[in-house]
Amino acid sequence: MLYALIGEDAPDSLAKRLAVRPAHVARLQVLADQGRLVLAGPMPAIDSPDPGPAGFLGSLIVAEFPSQADAQAWMDADPYVTDGVFVRTSVRPFKRTLP
């Protein structure tokens, strides 16, 4: 089943986000290589694809996992969680309708 994984950035976490981004992206690449990643990306803090020092509000990942517990475990082990980039996370079932 698909799950929406949402992380909300801690205040002033841009430097930390940039530092752990390679490890975060490497984990996403594993999901992509397995054909389980639908989409992933950050949510800019301002209306711009490159928010510069304004940074990001969080991230959204939609991916396939065997269960919500497995999706939550994946999220809990992500560097953005373990290194304190995300202050809050949620994992919810997601039903893809389009495309």
Side-chain angles (χ1 to χ4, degrees):
M1 178 156 184
L2 294 178
Y3 294 89
L5 292 73
I6 301 168
E8 182 182 327
D9 283 22
D12 301 314
S13 61
L14 181 58
K16 194 179 294 186
R17 173 185 265 273
L18 295 174
V20 298
R21 185 177 184 276
H24 169 74
V25 171
R27 294 183 82 240
L28 290 169
Q29 188 60 55
V30 171
L31 292 176
D33 292 345
Q34 295 170 345
R36 297 169 47 201
L37 184 64
V38 174
L39 65 88
M43 296 178 279
I46 60 174
D47 190 9
S48 172
D50 181 5
F56 300 91
L57 298 175
S59 295
L60 168 66
I61 300 164
V62 177
E64 183 180 352
F65 291 92
S67 69
Q68 189 168 356
D70 289 321
Q72 185 68 58
W74 188 94
M75 183 69 143
D76 291 345
D78 190 80
Y80 281 3
V81 173
T82 61
D83 288 22
V85 174
F86 291 157
V87 67
R88 258 183 299 287
T89 63
S90 65
V91 175
R92 300 284 184 254
F94 182 82
K95 183 178 178 196
R96 184 177 183 166
T97 302
L98 292 170

